Amino acid sequence: MSEEKKTSIKKIRSAGPMRDLMADYFRELDEAAKTGSAKVAWCTSVGPAELLRAFGFRVYFPENHGAMLGSTRVASDLIPAANAIGYSPDICSYLTSDIGSWLRKSTPLTKAYGMATVPKPDVLVYNTNQCRDVQDWLSYYARELRVPICGIQTPRSLGDIAQHHVDDLMAQHKALVPLLEQVSGKRFDIDALRETVASSYRCTTLWKRVLRTATHVPAPVTFFDDTIHMGPAVVLRGDERAVRYYEGLAAELEERIRDKVAAVDGEAHRLYWEGMPVWGKLREHAELFMARRTCVVASTYCNSWIFEALANKDPFEAMARAYAELFIVRNEAFKEGYLERMVRDYGIGGIIYHDAKTCPNNSNNRYGMPGRLASKLKIPYVVVNGDLNDLRLYSEEQARTQFEALVEQL
Ligand code: SF4
């Protein structure tokens, strides 16, 4: 058994402003859906949020709701309701828990923000860059609520992004405009889109600065903190309030570095988390590693909201490139190179691969990558079976044993 130390998770001051910001975001959505003061668009997490915001839509992200269902540990109880109407227990558990939540008329938004229900959409917009499940997920609501749906089909498993990919994706983004004009009742304004993309780029740059603070030894922040603080980067990119929030968070973490404050006291080991978080077990995982003076300093998941290509002057090209360059869209060779760079940049001593049963798209252990990288990088790894939301697919005992075995090898 590795050395275990009694310790507690260090509070990040910015958590207060973040809670206020998220509360404002949900209040505005609720108000828009109830009163019609603004139109509501549902968007997939790496969908064209900037385009929607440029039309003045309040933008809601079902995956964010999925993560709430996971972290509040109600997902496993709701999934069977979606299974009962034909959605397999093997497909995305964000999808099944979210549809289960809809069918059971039960959402954690009620307790957290006093919302009776999720905000009803006026339009549903997806990008299949991450998986096909998102299209099927929003299609359910399109049928159920008789709401128009549109989206972007992105090719997967890309190596280099070629100009023909970009041209096709730009054309697909532009093709969304007529429907969005019709639903929003507004003419498309290229300047509004430019401003929104520029704001989104400022947000992403600051989010990167936040994540990169963990290249410092000891790290001022952990992956488990990042999963909480990424909220505004997901749901409010393109809104200046997210920019202001990350200015504060980045400054706080840089202050921790100057004051020699570590997220994990006596940090002895540094790990990388590949794959989805187990949302219902974040606190347990954070405490388990902290007690072993181990900091999970970086992850593919949190880095997925860094969109460098949003710097492009043409807002359509910016979005087309940004949402095609994502890790999840790329081929094995790209992913291996990416992980190698992360291991080097963050001084990683070992890798945890989370094999999420219901999300093959974010489980990168299934085609030999852990073995190939281990022999190249000479660092240990572990593959933990589990799931993002369905805790029936996760064994606490087994995971704990595996985490401890990995730390022992470091
Ligand atoms: S990428 Fe995975 S977790 Fe995300 S929506 Fe698709 S299947 Fe679900």
Short mmCIF file of all heavy atoms in Angstrom, two decimals, residues 275-311:
data_model
loop_
_atom_site.label_atom_id
_atom_site.label_comp_id
_atom_site.label_asym_id
_atom_site.label_seq_id
_atom_site.Cartn_x
_atom_site.Cartn_y
_atom_site.Cartn_z
N GLY A 275 -9.48 10.41 -21.20
CA GLY A 275 -10.88 9.95 -21.27
C GLY A 275 -11.79 10.82 -20.42
O GLY A 275 -11.39 11.83 -19.87
N MET A 276 -13.05 10.39 -20.35
CA MET A 276 -14.06 11.16 -19.61
C MET A 276 -13.82 11.06 -18.10
O MET A 276 -13.33 10.04 -17.63
CB MET A 276 -15.46 10.59 -19.89
CG MET A 276 -15.91 10.65 -21.33
SD MET A 276 -16.29 12.31 -21.87
CE MET A 276 -17.82 12.66 -21.00
N PRO A 277 -14.25 12.08 -17.35
CA PRO A 277 -14.27 11.92 -15.89
C PRO A 277 -15.37 10.91 -15.52
O PRO A 277 -16.28 10.67 -16.31
CB PRO A 277 -14.69 13.31 -15.38
CG PRO A 277 -14.75 14.20 -16.56
CD PRO A 277 -14.80 13.37 -17.80
N VAL A 278 -15.27 10.33 -14.33
CA VAL A 278 -16.42 9.59 -13.77
C VAL A 278 -17.13 10.64 -12.92
O VAL A 278 -16.73 10.93 -11.80
CB VAL A 278 -15.95 8.40 -12.89
CG1 VAL A 278 -17.16 7.61 -12.40
CG2 VAL A 278 -14.97 7.50 -13.65
N TRP A 279 -18.18 11.24 -13.49
CA TRP A 279 -18.74 12.45 -12.86
C TRP A 279 -19.20 12.22 -11.43
O TRP A 279 -19.06 13.10 -10.58
CB TRP A 279 -19.91 13.00 -13.70
CG TRP A 279 -19.45 13.71 -14.94
CD1 TRP A 279 -19.59 13.28 -16.22
CD2 TRP A 279 -18.75 14.97 -15.01
NE1 TRP A 279 -19.04 14.19 -17.09
CE2 TRP A 279 -18.51 15.23 -16.38
CE3 TRP A 279 -18.31 15.88 -14.06
CZ2 TRP A 279 -17.85 16.39 -16.81
CZ3 TRP A 279 -17.64 17.03 -14.49
CH2 TRP A 279 -17.42 17.27 -15.85
N GLY A 280 -19.74 11.07 -11.16
CA GLY A 280 -20.26 10.81 -9.80
C GLY A 280 -19.18 10.50 -8.79
O GLY A 280 -19.48 10.26 -7.62
N LYS A 281 -17.92 10.47 -9.21
CA LYS A 281 -16.84 10.07 -8.31
C LYS A 281 -15.71 11.10 -8.26
O LYS A 281 -14.60 10.78 -7.83
CB LYS A 281 -16.26 8.71 -8.75
CG LYS A 281 -17.24 7.56 -8.60
CD LYS A 281 -17.46 7.25 -7.12
CE LYS A 281 -18.65 6.33 -6.92
NZ LYS A 281 -18.94 6.08 -5.51
N LEU A 282 -15.98 12.31 -8.69
CA LEU A 282 -14.90 13.31 -8.75
C LEU A 282 -14.26 13.55 -7.39
O LEU A 282 -13.04 13.56 -7.26
CB LEU A 282 -15.44 14.65 -9.28
CG LEU A 282 -15.73 14.75 -10.78
CD1 LEU A 282 -16.21 16.15 -11.10
CD2 LEU A 282 -14.51 14.39 -11.60
N ARG A 283 -15.10 13.75 -6.39
CA ARG A 283 -14.55 14.06 -5.06
C ARG A 283 -13.73 12.88 -4.53
O ARG A 283 -12.62 13.04 -4.05
CB ARG A 283 -15.68 14.42 -4.10
CG ARG A 283 -15.23 14.57 -2.65
CD ARG A 283 -16.26 15.25 -1.80
NE ARG A 283 -16.25 16.68 -1.99
CZ ARG A 283 -15.43 17.53 -1.37
NH1 ARG A 283 -14.57 17.09 -0.49
NH2 ARG A 283 -15.47 18.82 -1.60
N GLU A 284 -14.29 11.67 -4.65
CA GLU A 284 -13.58 10.48 -4.17
C GLU A 284 -12.23 10.35 -4.86
O GLU A 284 -11.22 10.07 -4.22
CB GLU A 284 -14.40 9.21 -4.43
CG GLU A 284 -15.54 8.97 -3.47
CD GLU A 284 -16.79 9.72 -3.89
OE1 GLU A 284 -16.71 10.59 -4.78
OE2 GLU A 284 -17.85 9.45 -3.29
N HIS A 285 -12.21 10.57 -6.18
CA HIS A 285 -10.95 10.43 -6.91
C HIS A 285 -9.96 11.52 -6.48
O HIS A 285 -8.78 11.25 -6.28
CB HIS A 285 -11.20 10.51 -8.42
CG HIS A 285 -11.88 9.28 -8.96
ND1 HIS A 285 -12.38 9.20 -10.23
CD2 HIS A 285 -12.12 8.08 -8.39
CE1 HIS A 285 -12.90 8.01 -10.42
NE2 HIS A 285 -12.77 7.32 -9.31
N ALA A 286 -10.46 12.74 -6.34
CA ALA A 286 -9.57 13.84 -5.93
C ALA A 286 -8.94 13.52 -4.59
O ALA A 286 -7.73 13.69 -4.39
CB ALA A 286 -10.36 15.14 -5.86
N GLU A 287 -9.75 13.03 -3.65
CA GLU A 287 -9.23 12.75 -2.31
C GLU A 287 -8.28 11.56 -2.31
O GLU A 287 -7.27 11.55 -1.61
CB GLU A 287 -10.40 12.52 -1.35
CG GLU A 287 -11.12 13.84 -1.06
CD GLU A 287 -12.36 13.69 -0.20
OE1 GLU A 287 -12.81 12.55 0.04
OE2 GLU A 287 -12.90 14.74 0.21
N LEU A 288 -8.63 10.56 -3.11
CA LEU A 288 -7.78 9.37 -3.16
C LEU A 288 -6.37 9.72 -3.62
O LEU A 288 -5.38 9.32 -2.99
CB LEU A 288 -8.44 8.36 -4.10
CG LEU A 288 -7.81 6.98 -4.25
CD1 LEU A 288 -8.91 5.95 -4.54
CD2 LEU A 288 -6.78 6.91 -5.36
N PHE A 289 -6.27 10.50 -4.68
CA PHE A 289 -4.93 10.85 -5.18
C PHE A 289 -4.23 11.82 -4.24
O PHE A 289 -3.02 11.72 -4.02
CB PHE A 289 -5.03 11.42 -6.60
CG PHE A 289 -5.34 10.35 -7.61
CD1 PHE A 289 -6.56 10.29 -8.24
CD2 PHE A 289 -4.40 9.38 -7.91
CE1 PHE A 289 -6.86 9.29 -9.17
CE2 PHE A 289 -4.67 8.37 -8.83
CZ PHE A 289 -5.90 8.33 -9.46
N MET A 290 -4.99 12.74 -3.70
CA MET A 290 -4.39 13.72 -2.79
C MET A 290 -3.76 13.02 -1.59
O MET A 290 -2.67 13.37 -1.15
CB MET A 290 -5.49 14.68 -2.35
CG MET A 290 -4.99 15.84 -1.55
SD MET A 290 -6.28 17.05 -1.37
CE MET A 290 -5.94 18.06 -2.78
N ALA A 291 -4.47 12.03 -1.09
CA ALA A 291 -3.96 11.30 0.08
C ALA A 291 -2.67 10.56 -0.24
O ALA A 291 -1.92 10.19 0.65
CB ALA A 291 -5.02 10.31 0.57
N ARG A 292 -2.42 10.34 -1.51
CA ARG A 292 -1.18 9.65 -1.91
C ARG A 292 -0.17 10.63 -2.53
O ARG A 292 0.67 10.23 -3.31
CB ARG A 292 -1.52 8.51 -2.89
CG ARG A 292 -2.16 7.36 -2.15
CD ARG A 292 -3.02 6.47 -3.01
NE ARG A 292 -3.69 5.50 -2.16
CZ ARG A 292 -4.78 5.75 -1.43
NH1 ARG A 292 -5.34 6.95 -1.48
NH2 ARG A 292 -5.30 4.81 -0.67
N ARG A 293 -0.32 11.89 -2.22
CA ARG A 293 0.57 12.97 -2.68
C ARG A 293 0.75 12.93 -4.20
O ARG A 293 1.83 13.14 -4.73
CB ARG A 293 1.91 12.91 -1.94
CG ARG A 293 1.73 13.15 -0.43
CD ARG A 293 3.03 13.35 0.29
NE ARG A 293 3.91 12.20 0.16
CZ ARG A 293 5.17 12.25 -0.21
NH1 ARG A 293 5.71 13.41 -0.51
NH2 ARG A 293 5.88 11.16 -0.28
N THR A 294 -0.35 12.60 -4.86
CA THR A 294 -0.33 12.47 -6.31
C THR A 294 -1.27 13.49 -6.91
O THR A 294 -2.42 13.60 -6.48
CB THR A 294 -0.77 11.04 -6.71
OG1 THR A 294 0.15 10.13 -6.11
CG2 THR A 294 -0.79 10.86 -8.21
N CYS A 295 -0.78 14.22 -7.90
CA CYS A 295 -1.62 15.23 -8.55
C CYS A 295 -1.92 14.79 -9.98
O CYS A 295 -1.00 14.50 -10.75
CB CYS A 295 -0.91 16.58 -8.55
SG CYS A 295 -1.99 17.92 -9.07
N VAL A 296 -3.20 14.69 -10.29
CA VAL A 296 -3.57 14.47 -11.70
C VAL A 296 -3.54 15.86 -12.32
O VAL A 296 -4.41 16.69 -12.04
CB VAL A 296 -4.95 13.80 -11.82
CG1 VAL A 296 -5.29 13.55 -13.29
CG2 VAL A 296 -4.98 12.48 -11.04
N VAL A 297 -2.52 16.14 -13.11
CA VAL A 297 -2.25 17.53 -13.51
C VAL A 297 -2.84 17.92 -14.86
O VAL A 297 -2.96 19.11 -15.16
CB VAL A 297 -0.72 17.83 -13.53
CG1 VAL A 297 -0.15 17.77 -12.13
CG2 VAL A 297 0.03 16.89 -14.45
N ALA A 298 -3.18 16.93 -15.68
CA ALA A 298 -3.67 17.29 -17.02
C ALA A 298 -4.57 16.20 -17.56
O ALA A 298 -4.54 15.05 -17.09
CB ALA A 298 -2.49 17.52 -17.97
N SER A 299 -5.34 16.56 -18.56
CA SER A 299 -6.29 15.61 -19.15
C SER A 299 -6.60 16.00 -20.59
O SER A 299 -6.52 17.18 -20.95
CB SER A 299 -7.61 15.66 -18.37
OG SER A 299 -8.23 16.92 -18.57
N THR A 300 -6.97 15.02 -21.37
CA THR A 300 -7.44 15.30 -22.72
C THR A 300 -8.76 16.05 -22.65
O THR A 300 -9.01 17.00 -23.39
CB THR A 300 -7.68 13.99 -23.50
OG1 THR A 300 -6.52 13.16 -23.37
CG2 THR A 300 -7.98 14.24 -24.96
N TYR A 301 -9.61 15.61 -21.73
CA TYR A 301 -10.97 16.12 -21.64
C TYR A 301 -11.00 17.64 -21.45
O TYR A 301 -11.64 18.36 -22.23
CB TYR A 301 -11.70 15.42 -20.49
CG TYR A 301 -13.14 15.80 -20.38
CD1 TYR A 301 -14.07 15.42 -21.34
CD2 TYR A 301 -13.59 16.58 -19.31
CE1 TYR A 301 -15.40 15.80 -21.24
CE2 TYR A 301 -14.91 16.95 -19.21
CZ TYR A 301 -15.81 16.56 -20.19
OH TYR A 301 -17.12 16.95 -20.09
N CYS A 302 -10.30 18.14 -20.44
CA CYS A 302 -10.36 19.59 -20.16
C CYS A 302 -9.67 20.39 -21.26
O CYS A 302 -10.05 21.53 -21.53
CB CYS A 302 -9.76 19.89 -18.79
SG CYS A 302 -10.76 19.19 -17.47
N ASN A 303 -8.66 19.79 -21.87
CA ASN A 303 -7.96 20.50 -22.96
C ASN A 303 -8.80 20.57 -24.23
O ASN A 303 -8.43 21.27 -25.18
CB ASN A 303 -6.62 19.82 -23.25
CG ASN A 303 -5.53 20.36 -22.35
OD1 ASN A 303 -4.91 21.38 -22.64
ND2 ASN A 303 -5.34 19.70 -21.21
N SER A 304 -9.90 19.83 -24.27
CA SER A 304 -10.71 19.81 -25.49
C SER A 304 -11.44 21.13 -25.73
O SER A 304 -12.05 21.32 -26.77
CB SER A 304 -11.73 18.67 -25.43
OG SER A 304 -11.04 17.45 -25.46
N TRP A 305 -11.43 22.02 -24.73
CA TRP A 305 -12.08 23.33 -24.95
C TRP A 305 -11.04 24.42 -25.22
O TRP A 305 -11.27 25.58 -24.94
CB TRP A 305 -13.03 23.66 -23.81
CG TRP A 305 -14.36 23.04 -24.05
CD1 TRP A 305 -15.45 23.61 -24.64
CD2 TRP A 305 -14.74 21.68 -23.78
NE1 TRP A 305 -16.47 22.69 -24.75
CE2 TRP A 305 -16.06 21.51 -24.23
CE3 TRP A 305 -14.08 20.58 -23.20
CZ2 TRP A 305 -16.74 20.30 -24.13
CZ3 TRP A 305 -14.75 19.39 -23.10
CH2 TRP A 305 -16.06 19.25 -23.55
N ILE A 306 -9.89 23.99 -25.75
CA ILE A 306 -8.91 24.97 -26.25
C ILE A 306 -9.03 24.97 -27.77
O ILE A 306 -8.78 23.94 -28.42
CB ILE A 306 -7.47 24.59 -25.82
CG1 ILE A 306 -7.35 24.66 -24.30
CG2 ILE A 306 -6.45 25.52 -26.49
CD1 ILE A 306 -6.00 24.21 -23.77
N PHE A 307 -9.47 26.08 -28.31
CA PHE A 307 -9.72 26.16 -29.76
C PHE A 307 -8.80 27.23 -30.36
O PHE A 307 -9.21 28.38 -30.56
CB PHE A 307 -11.18 26.55 -30.03
CG PHE A 307 -12.20 25.70 -29.31
CD1 PHE A 307 -12.99 26.24 -28.30
CD2 PHE A 307 -12.39 24.37 -29.68
CE1 PHE A 307 -13.94 25.46 -27.65
CE2 PHE A 307 -13.34 23.59 -29.03
CZ PHE A 307 -14.12 24.14 -28.02
N GLU A 308 -7.56 26.84 -30.63
CA GLU A 308 -6.57 27.80 -31.14
C GLU A 308 -7.02 28.44 -32.46
O GLU A 308 -6.74 29.60 -32.72
CB GLU A 308 -5.22 27.11 -31.40
CG GLU A 308 -4.70 26.26 -30.26
CD GLU A 308 -3.80 27.02 -29.32
OE1 GLU A 308 -3.75 28.26 -29.43
OE2 GLU A 308 -3.17 26.37 -28.47
N ALA A 309 -7.71 27.65 -33.28
CA ALA A 309 -8.04 28.13 -34.63
C ALA A 309 -9.06 29.26 -34.62
O ALA A 309 -9.29 29.90 -35.65
CB ALA A 309 -8.57 26.97 -35.48
N LEU A 310 -9.67 29.55 -33.46
CA LEU A 310 -10.61 30.67 -33.41
C LEU A 310 -9.91 32.00 -33.63
O LEU A 310 -10.55 33.03 -33.77
CB LEU A 310 -11.37 30.68 -32.08
CG LEU A 310 -12.38 29.55 -31.86
CD1 LEU A 310 -13.06 29.67 -30.51
CD2 LEU A 310 -13.44 29.51 -32.97
N ALA A 311 -8.57 31.99 -33.65
CA ALA A 311 -7.81 33.21 -33.93
C ALA A 311 -7.99 33.65 -35.38
O ALA A 311 -7.72 34.80 -35.73
CB ALA A 311 -6.33 32.98 -33.65
#
